[in-house]
Amino acid sequence: MGRFSVGQAMRRVEDARLLTGDGRYTDDIHLEGEAVGFVLRSPHAHAVLGAVDTAAARALPGVLAIYTAEDLVRDGIGDIACQTPMPGKGGTQQIDPGHPVLARGRVRHVGDPIAFVAAETLDQAKDAAEAIEIDFEELPVLAETARALDPDAPRIWDQAPNNLAVLWELGDEAATAEAMAKAAHVTRLELVNNRLVVNSMEPRNALGAFDPDTGRFTLTTGTQGSYKLRHQLADPIFKLPAENFHVITPDVGGAFGMKNFLFAEQVLVLYAARDLGRPVRWNGERGESFLSDSHGRDHVTLAELALDQDGRILAIRASIVANMGAYLSNFSTFIPTGCCVKMFSGQYKIPAAYGEVKCVFTNTVPVDAYRGAGRPEAAYIVERLLDAAAFDLGLDPVELRRRNFIAPGDMPYTTATGLTYDDGDFPAMLERTLAETGHGDLEARRAEAKTRGKLRGLGFACYIEECGGSGKEDARAGLDDDGGITVYVGTQTNGQGHETVYTQILSDIFDLPPDAIRIRQGDSDDLPSGGGTGGSRSLLMGGTVITKAAETVVERARKLASHLLEAAEADLELTGGAFVIVGTDRRVTLGEIARAAKGAGPSLPEDLQGPLEANAKHSGATMTYPNGCHACEVEIDPETGTVKLLRYVIVDDFGTLVNPLLAAGQVIGGTVQGIGQALLENTVYDPHSGQLLTGSFMDYAMPRADDFPEIELTMIEDFPCKTNDMGVKGAGEAGSIGASPAVVNAVLDALKPLGLRHIDMPVTSETVWRAIRAAGGKGAA
């Protein structure tokens, strides 16, 4: 194995550039003559939008233009639409009223964009926004997910009775109901999956330009894929062909799903640039992120688990009310439906499953994918049900899982929701985790904690997810004159380390050092299309397609080397960036081959002439099923409700590891986000006014480094994925999937002596303190 080969824990090649200030983010890119944009947002959650008087604002110094919905309608600008409409139950259709770029007729959440001001400076734009006078007629507000379907709830859209966007189902409803009726025991839980603000390190931003000579727009913006945005901007929004749009994604400071989507500001900077004849920039501020970035999660669920007299699962059923916010974002309804319910089997043999999802409108910010995108919600349902069932039946949660695991000999295993797991050893993952946590000594640790007046608990969550192989991917590889290789790929790095893992794959193919390999992503002019990043797809899809392109280049270079060296192709070995005749010192470097192909050197046969480049495509639904077990040990002070994380242990199966160091970083990052949801983060709206009460870091508790113990991670490579040649399984979201249920299960294990069966996230010290007192307990004695 080479120093830079697949499987090595190689440090990130992009870090030197990023850590020394040479990163190039949207805000680092400036165009001559650019204006600055500012969005005037609604202060009301629900109101009729009356007259918008911009006269005084337009007269202020430095103001170039002020745009409202009237301007956009006049110029035929379309609405932002849901890109993943889901079929409704019984043949009904999803209701998508559209998402106006600027509010039209009504505002439907605090932060809804009303006007866009373009000025010479940001301060001038803000002054102008303050001078705009607007007539509002306030309307009743709906800000609570659980109330959305109430008969007397305010209606957000006239075309959506009962605020229902779509009623969706998956599974065998009749078989599940029959199993529930015959079960010896049915465990029921009402669960709240709390709403989260994404809070990427780099807020959203956009820089728009328009070339009147070519009629072409250029948008520079932080995204998870330039190609998807280009297609949305084209015919759906501007009624123009995709070739008229050039989207550039430079370095991106985090995304977590949220930057996959088209936002109003990206449309507005292009619209204003065309109108003004000069570039226009918009940079979001942190406060705007809370009010305008898509949020995550926000489900209210009634979940049920049916078991026989021996504690074996017969069926699972859940009814989910999923908050979509005021508008349907790009992937909105797909996340709680197609991404969530299909994972209801988890790691267990469950003969029957049924899920019903009601996607509802409320007067809140739109909700869409957030790291894990439906899979964390599913794992939370399944793993909380397992622990609650163990509580009900007086069983050890570990023993209940052992009785119900899918065994290695059952693989490939088709679940009740139609997924086929290719491989894995779920029981072994739990047993390894038990050994790592010292599960056998837990009671001694509990007893010791009790002497100090504390409550100790150990919780587990066994997760599995489907990810990785959706859509299509493009790549182009080419040999450079200096002997290096440049590869263009349609995925999009957001900080995960794409450049490094792609470099390792290419280093194996070409036997080149990292500094001879150049990875290019983010420019929609580079390739015909690209799938971007999301759903832990980049290594599988991007790695596969760059391998195809690179291997094609190698074979073409081999033919040329054969000609130049006057040797048989079978006698050539590619080593150290050169083709060598085996057993001799005769060689030709890749740089010499590249230059020869372009005509710099001996004359070549026609079929060997031209740049050494190759294009490749990859498509299909070759999904992967990463899985593992999370364990969390906590100690609770019953006098204050404070929860302290003592240990956190993970055992994961990601198949073949391209870079264990990067995989570990992804797992730890996702785990921290999952723990953050379980213990700290919560997005709270005032139920009467719809005002966001947690609109800054003063009120929204982000996790910090000192909130966590060292995360102890073991990654098992015993089960290479059988659905792809690389043997890889996605790792980017796994941490966020197992973490939340593991933490909540640990807290409830500590509180079990008090008879507490469930607490909703976030499990804050106040929540725990109140729960202890409601249960009649004051201490650990």
Side-chain angles (χ1 to χ4, degrees):
M1 182 182 290
R3 181 181 169 194
F4 310 114
S5 293
V6 167
Q8 293 294 300
M10 175 177 151
R11 291 191 175 276
R12 300 187 350 154
V13 298
E14 52 268 70
D15 280 354
R17 174 173 61 85
L18 296 173
L19 293 174
T20 56
D22 287 334
R24 188 167 167 80
Y25 298 86
T26 299
D27 195 38
D28 295 317
I29 299 167
H30 294 275
L31 302 177
E32 185 177 353
E34 67 185 36
V36 180
F38 181 77
V39 177
L40 175 63
R41 303 184 185 277
S42 173
H44 301 292
H46 200 196
V48 173
L49 184 58
V52 180
D53 186 350
T54 62
R58 291 177 190 274
L60 291 176
V63 175
L64 302 171
I66 299 175
Y67 305 103
T68 65
E70 183 179 351
D71 300 298
L72 304 187
V73 170
R74 181 195 64 223
D75 290 335
I77 300 299
D79 292 349
I80 299 170
C82 176
Q83 302 297 300
T84 55
M86 301 303 292
K89 183 177 180 179
T92 57
Q93 300 296 311
Q94 176 175 302
I95 296 170
D96 184 2
H99 187 174
V101 174
L102 292 172
R104 199 168 56 234
R106 277 197 216 179
V107 291
R108 289 180 167 85
H109 68 87
V110 173
D112 212 351
I114 296 173
F116 186 67
V117 181
E120 297 291 353
T121 70
L122 179 59
D123 286 343
Q124 290 171 336
K126 288 183 175 182
D127 288 345
E130 288 186 5
I132 297 173
E133 297 185 1
I134 304 173
D135 291 333
F136 293 103
E137 179 186 337
E138 290 193 61
L139 296 170
V141 169
L142 171 64
E144 298 168 281
T145 306
R147 283 193 57 229
L149 296 167
D150 289 355
D152 60 347
R155 185 181 290 190
I156 312 304
W157 291 95
D158 293 339
Q159 58 267 57
N162 299 317
N163 297 310
L164 187 64
V166 67
L167 171 61
W168 182 91
E169 66 176 348
L170 180 69
D172 191 328
E173 184 175 15
T176 303
E178 182 180 357
M180 292 279 170
K182 293 179 178 179
H185 175 78
V186 177
T187 287
R188 292 180 175 86
L189 268 183
E190 292 186 12
L191 302 168
V192 173
N193 206 294
N194 43 321
R195 177 185 279 240
L196 304 173
V197 176
V198 175
N199 284 317
S200 57
M201 187 178 295
E202 177 199 28
R204 291 189 297 110
N205 43 45
L207 174 60
F210 179 74
D211 186 339
D213 295 330
T214 62
R216 206 156 189 251
F217 294 92
T218 298
L219 174 66
T220 303
T221 184
T223 81
Q224 290 181 231
S226 299
Y227 301 88
K228 289 180 285 189
L229 254 63
R230 178 183 64 181
H231 287 291
Q232 280 198 73
L233 288 166
D235 184 63
I237 302 294
F238 282 93
K239 318 304 179 191
L240 292 168
E243 307 86 75
N244 287 42
F245 295 87
H246 181 198
V247 179
I248 301 170
T249 300
D251 287 322
V252 180
F256 310 116
M258 178 265 295
K259 291 178 184 174
N260 243 321
F261 317 125
L262 179 64
F263 288 91
E265 297 85 359
Q266 292 162 325
V267 177
L268 291 167
V269 295
L270 294 179
Y271 177 83
R274 180 174 66 178
D275 181 64
L276 295 173
R278 58 190 289 191
V280 178
R281 168 186 301 281
W282 173 81
N283 281 343
E285 299 178 354
R286 185 60 64 185
E288 289 181 284
S289 296
F290 280 87
L291 294 175
S292 65
D293 291 357
S294 60
H295 290 178
R297 314 291 192 242
D298 201 346
H299 293 182
V300 176
T301 301
L302 174 62
E304 300 169 284
L305 193 71
L307 302 102
D308 68 13
Q309 65 272 17
D310 297 319
R312 288 184 170 80
I313 301 171
L314 301 175
I316 186 170
R317 180 168 63 192
S319 177
I320 300 171
V321 179
N323 194 344
M324 298 291 98
Y327 307 98
L328 297 186
S329 180
N330 282 176
F331 296 170
S332 54
T333 52
F334 176 58
I335 303 307
T337 57
C339 287
C340 176
V341 177
K342 64 184 177 183
M343 299 310 306
F344 273 9
S345 285
Q347 297 186 3
Y348 311 104
K349 292 182 180 179
I350 303 181
Y354 179 72
E356 183 180 81
V357 183
K358 303 176 182 77
C359 296
V360 298
F361 293 110
T362 64
N363 293 121
T364 61
V365 171
V367 178
D368 212 312
Y370 173 68
R371 195 170 193 167
R375 282 74 54 84
E377 295 91 319
Y380 190 68
I381 291 169
V382 173
E383 293 302 299
R384 282 296 302 120
L385 277 173
L386 263 291
D387 265 39
F391 182 98
D392 294 345
L393 297 172
L395 291 173
D396 182 340
V398 170
E399 175 57 28
L400 185 59
R401 285 170 171 81
R402 284 171 173 157
R403 293 183 190 183
N404 289 282
F405 274 133
I406 299 164
D410 297 324
M411 299 294 181
Y413 181 86
T414 300
T415 71
T417 58
L419 302 182
T420 300
Y421 302 160
D422 60 303
D423 67 358
D425 188 341
F426 307 150
M429 304 298 281
L430 175 61
E431 298 305 324
R432 177 70 178 266
T433 307
L434 292 173
E436 295 285 343
T437 58
H439 179 258
D441 300 325
L442 175 61
E443 294 309 316
R445 298 197 297 276
R446 281 196 214 273
E448 187 279 328
K450 188 174 180 178
T451 65
R452 295 182 285 106
K454 302 295 192 291
L455 299 166
R456 188 175 288 231
L458 179 62
F460 298 88
C462 300
Y463 81 91
I464 186 169
E465 61 160 324
E466 181 190 53
C467 65
S470 60
K472 302 177 181 179
E473 203 53 77
D474 280 57
R476 183 174 76 254
L479 278 184
D480 300 323
D481 289 354
D482 63 358
I485 183 165
T486 299
V487 172
Y488 300 86
V489 62
T491 57
Q492 179 59 57
T493 184
N494 291 164
Q496 306 98 315
H498 287 191
E499 292 174 48
T500 301
V501 293
Y502 292 161
T503 293
Q504 288 179 265
I505 292 169
L506 294 165
S507 179
D508 270 359
I509 294 171
F510 290 95
D511 198 22
L512 288 170
D515 59 6
I517 298 169
R518 298 141 193 138
I519 307 297
R520 303 286 183 259
Q521 300 177 81
D523 190 323
S524 68
D525 279 0
D526 286 341
L527 296 166
S529 64
T533 189
S536 303
R537 71 185 297 278
S538 292
L539 178 56
L540 173 57
M541 299 297 286
T544 298
V545 77
I546 67 169
T547 297
K548 287 182 178 180
E551 288 179 344
T552 301
V553 169
V554 167
E555 290 314 303
R556 230 187 114 201
R558 186 184 300 276
K559 292 182 184 297
L560 212 156
S562 171
H563 175 82
L564 295 174
L565 292 171
E566 298 179 332
E569 291 180 37
D571 294 335
L572 299 180
E573 178 184 17
L574 179 55
T575 179
F579 280 99
V580 178
I581 300 176
V582 177
T584 76
D585 59 358
R586 295 186 59 208
R587 63 199 302 271
V588 59
T589 68
L590 293 176
E592 290 169 334
I593 293 170
R595 294 191 296 273
K598 295 177 182 178
S603 60
L604 299 174
E606 189 173 335
D607 63 327
L608 297 180
Q609 295 177 13
L612 277 169
E613 290 185 347
N615 295 297
K617 293 181 179 291
H618 181 67
S619 62
T622 52
M623 306 306 288
T624 74
Y625 296 94
N627 61 86
C629 183
H630 285 226
C632 177
E633 188 161 346
V634 301
E635 191 170 85
I636 296 174
D637 183 344
E639 297 298 331
T640 63
T642 301
V643 178
K644 182 178 181 180
L645 269 63
L646 301 177
R647 288 190 70 194
Y648 201 96
V649 174
I650 307 171
V651 179
D652 277 326
D653 168 14
F654 297 131
T656 301
L657 295 170
V658 174
N659 186 315
L661 184 65
L662 267 64
Q666 288 295 296
V667 173
I668 292 169
T671 299
V672 165
Q673 287 177 293
I675 296 172
Q677 177 178 12
L679 292 180
L680 297 166
E681 298 183 55
N682 198 24
T683 308
V684 181
Y685 284 90
D686 183 277
H688 306 293
S689 68
Q691 294 294 323
L692 181 60
L693 301 180
T694 51
S696 76
F697 290 145
M698 294 292 290
D699 301 295
Y700 187 95
M702 287 288 283
R704 308 188 314 178
D706 59 1
D707 292 318
F708 305 97
E710 179 183 357
I711 294 174
E712 303 167 49
L713 172 63
T714 301
M715 294 180 288
I716 306 297
E717 292 191 79
D718 296 341
F719 303 98
C721 185
K722 296 178 181 177
T723 66
N724 64 86
D725 292 340
M726 298 174 67
V728 299
K729 303 174 185 178
E733 296 163 294
S736 66
I737 296 168
S740 295
V743 171
V744 175
N745 285 344
V747 169
L748 287 162
D749 185 57
L751 298 175
K752 185 177 178 180
L754 303 177
L756 286 167
R757 179 175 179 268
H758 180 65
I759 296 179
D760 279 319
M761 300 184 292
V763 186
T764 63
S765 57
E766 179 184 355
T767 301
V768 174
W769 184 88
R770 291 185 181 280
I772 290 172
R773 269 127 194 92
K778 293 184 179 179

